[in-house]
Every structure is written in C-alpha cells, then in structure tokens.
Amino acid sequence: MSTSLKGQAAIVTGSTSGIGHALASALAANGARVILNGLGDPTTIEATRAEMSAQHGVEVLYHPADMTKPAEIADMVALAQRSFGRLDILVNNAGIQFVSPIEDFPIEKWDQIIAINLTSAFHATRAAIPMMKAQKRGRIVNLASAHGLVASPFKSAYVAAKHGILGLTKTAALELATFGVTVNAICPGYVKTPLVEAQIADQAKARGISEEEVMRNVILAAQPTKAFVTFEQLNGLLLYLVSDAGASVNGASLPVDGGWTAQ
Ligand code: NAD
C-alpha cells in the first residue's frame, strides 16, 4: 500500500529496532519526515538514521528520549515543532517484555513495563494533542498487541499495559474526534523481532521446556495461521490508518494476528 505523506511529519517511538523501525521506514518511503527514537549504540543509530534519510529522500531525525522519562518524551514531541513546525503522525510503539509468574515478578520490572508500554503513550499523546488540534488533523497509532485483547500466563505486566493502552486509545479517540484527529490501536500477533526472540528463551525457562517446544507449542500455537505476522502486513495497516481513507476509523483496536483473538 502507498499513500502520499509528502509534507507530513511523524514520530515513531522505539524505532531503532523491530516493528518501530519497519513502520518508520514505511512512513519515510511514502514521503513523511520522521523522528526516530529508541535505545541502542549511537553509531548504529546514526547509520540507521542516515540510511533511511538517503534511501527515501526525506529528513529523518533522531531523539534519544527514554520512554520512562516524561520530560524527555515532551522534548521529543517538541522537536517535531522545532524542526518541522508540525506533527501529523504519532506512533506509540516502544515496548519491552518480561516473562515470570506473578509471585516472582520483580516489582521494578512491573513498574518499567507499565512506564514504557503504557504511560509513555499518555505522555507523548498529551504533548502532541495541542499541535494536532491546531492543525485540525492528526493520526495517533498505538502499537498494542493481541495481548491487549486476551491474556497469556506469565506476562502480567505486559498484558495489563496492553489492555490499558486500548483504554487510552478509546478515550483519546473520543476527545479528539471533532478535531480531525484519529486514535487507533494495532494489535499484532507474534512478529519475529528481537523482543520475541528474547521471549523464546525466557518462556523456555519459565515453563521448563526447550526453546524449540516454545516456538512450536507456545508462540505459534496461539496463531491459527502458524506463521509470524510480517512487517509488511503491519506497514499496510499503518499506511491505511494515516491516509485520508482511514479518517472514520477511530478508537478501534485492530487485530493483525492471523486469527489468534478470534478463538
Ligand atoms: P523490539 O525489542 O525489536 O523494539 C523495541 C523498541 O523499543 C526498540 O527500538 C527499543 O530501543 C525501544 N525501547 C525499549 N525501551 C525503551 C525506552 N525506555 N525508551 C525508548 N525506547 C525504548 O520490539 P518489537 O517486537 O519491535 O516491539 C515493538 C512494539 O510492538 C512493542 O510495543 C511490542 O509490545 C509490540 N508488539 C510486538 C509483537 C511481536 O511479536 N514482536 C507483538 C505484538 C505487539
């Protein structure tokens, strides 16, 4: 799918890796100026930024905001105003995972997951709203998960945060509906990224089974297609949501999960 985003400006949080990187590339490929964000080695991040900019012929910036720090998140949004004079698209994507039974779940891990996977989207949305309202157009897309709709054992903080982000999505959608701003959530099933690769090892430990068994009987067991969701499939939905054609899709939680949550 392609849609012209020429002249528009976007922020994608957690875009130094995985899904966020793919989504940011798709926006840049369609003409949007993009602010990347995320953790990682500064030299690698700079190479990613420069490559995306050169490949698509658009301005690509990087902001190092830590998604646990509200002031840094606000400054990242302010960078769009400072550099581009506008913000059309905000993709709240940064996220982490930790797998453990609740009784052993480290309290600081719970707090960190809620901060990065849920509260950071509140801070970014809060900071973006005045610009989007003034423009009378905006698109906020939250990367939730199939785990925003259903649970799995040992992922209490992640499942709670992802259910929470659907509540934030619906509330913001109602508040912004008359301002030309839509707010939606994409709920992917399993996508093969570093986040999932790390889980394979963690799940094997928590369940006392081999990594191969986790892939076969845990990860793809939930997904009726028995196939990982691809970056291209997520890019396609994002491009639709940010296009003019997506203007009436608002407050929706859209599964891209091969049928997982149909069960
Ligand atoms: P990933 O680990 O490949 O990427 C996560 C990104 O978030 C990285 O850029 C990382 O640097 C960034 N990040 C982490 N902590 C941060 C912090 N404190 N401040 C700033 N950035 C931070 O993961 P992914 O699989 O691409 O996941 C992206 C999003 O998609 C997450 O919200 C995840 O929950 C969601 N998701 C992933 C899957 C999947 O199967 N991979 C499925 C459903 C939903």
Side-chain angles (χ1 to χ4, degrees):
M1 170 150 187
S2 74
T3 179
S4 177
L5 302 175
K6 203 164 167 8
Q8 296 197 23
I11 294 174
V12 183
T13 71
S15 44
T16 52
S17 167
I19 294 169
H21 179 262
L23 297 176
S25 302
L27 295 174
N30 284 274
R33 294 166 289 175
V34 177
I35 296 176
L36 300 175
N37 157 263
L39 309 178
D41 165 55
T43 311
T44 311
I45 292 173
E46 172 50 24
T48 303
R49 186 206 63 73
E51 189 191 335
M52 197 180 288
S53 177
Q55 190 180 351
H56 302 300
V58 292
E59 210 173 333
V60 178
L61 306 178
Y62 167 73
H63 192 287
D66 178 338
M67 290 296 115
T68 64
K69 307 256 167 64
E72 294 184 16
I73 296 169
D75 188 63
M76 175 187 67
V77 175
L79 177 64
Q81 176 78 54
R82 288 197 298 273
S83 302
F84 303 139
R86 57 187 303 115
L87 178 64
D88 302 278
I89 299 164
L90 169 65
V91 182
N92 290 307
N93 164 83
I96 60 165
Q97 176 63 282
F98 190 82
V99 177
S100 164
I102 294 172
E103 68 268 32
D104 300 327
F105 211 97
I107 292 166
E108 60 283 4
K109 271 289 166 200
W110 170 277
D111 289 342
Q112 191 191 16
I113 290 179
I114 298 298
I116 296 171
N117 295 18
L118 174 58
T119 310
S120 74
F122 161 74
H123 291 299
T125 301
R126 185 176 182 277
I129 284 174
M131 253 189 292
M132 290 186 173
K133 267 188 173 176
Q135 290 164 190
K136 299 210 177 322
R137 194 183 190 286
R139 295 284 189 266
I140 299 174
V141 179
N142 296 323
L143 260 290
S145 167
H147 281 125
L149 300 164
V150 295
S152 293
F154 312 124
K155 296 185 178 176
S156 53
Y158 188 89
V159 170
K162 295 299 186 182
H163 276 67
I165 206 154
L166 298 189
L168 174 66
T169 301
K170 291 177 200 175
T171 308
L174 295 179
E175 292 185 20
L176 298 171
T178 56
F179 294 92
V181 179
T182 67
V183 189
N184 292 288
I186 298 178
C187 300
Y190 282 104
V191 189
K192 209 152 187 276
T193 67
L195 180 140
V196 165
E197 278 154 9
Q199 270 182 72
I200 295 170
D202 290 347
Q203 283 271 13
K205 215 164 111 196
R207 291 168 186 265
I209 57 176
S210 75
E211 294 192 10
E212 241 177 35
E213 283 174 300
V214 170
M215 287 276 281
R216 194 177 55 248
N217 299 335
V218 181
I219 306 240
L220 291 179
Q223 219 146 273
T225 46
K226 303 293 171 209
F228 285 101
V229 175
T230 67
F231 291 144
E232 291 70 24
Q233 292 159 358
L234 296 175
N235 291 347
L237 180 54
L238 175 69
L239 292 175
Y240 169 69
L241 289 173
V242 303
S243 74
D244 289 342
S248 288
V249 181
N250 194 27
S253 306
L254 301 159
V256 185
D257 64 3
W260 173 355
T261 54
Q263 299 170 91

